[in-house]
Amino acid sequence: MSRMTPFSSPLLLGFDAMEKTLERLAKSGDSYPPYNIERLSGVDGKTERLRITLAVAGFAESDLDVTTEENQLVVRGRQSDDTEREFLHRGIAARQFQRCFVLADGMRVIAAELKNGLLSIDLDRPESERLVRKINISVKD
């Protein structure tokens, strides 16, 4: 018995990678660090802009790494464990994390800013050109 998926239609070609990405996202359940995603109005009114804000209190700029890998935005945080300090109670752990966001084609990161324990990452997607290309049909005898 074969499994039916939203992408199993013969009219949807080349969506295998997207189907795998959706399956991977469904399996991930980590909720740290908490984050917001908001839509910002573009300067010109046409460009779509998004802002991802992650709560990264206790992390310094040097503890954070923001990269794009293929079609993913990857945010990593790693705090070094301070062995010189002696804690009587430790309720705030030095914790590492990796948070991945899948980016649509054409999305690009334009800025990242750390302020008051919040890491804000701005993205945009410039208006793409409509490309119409005539395909020549060859006739073979």
Side-chain angles (χ1 to χ4, degrees), residues 50-64:
L50 300 175
R51 175 173 290 155
I52 301 171
T53 305
L54 294 98
V56 291
F59 286 86
E61 179 187 359
S62 60
D63 298 332
L64 298 168

Side-chain angles (χ1 to χ4, degrees), residues 88-113:
L88 300 177
H89 170 76
R90 185 158 189 182
I92 304 171
R95 185 172 179 183
Q96 62 184 12
F97 69 87
Q98 176 174 309
R99 170 70 70 185
C100 296
F101 299 92
V102 179
L103 302 176
D105 289 340
M107 293 294 293
R108 62 183 183 182
V109 177
I110 55 174
E113 178 185 30

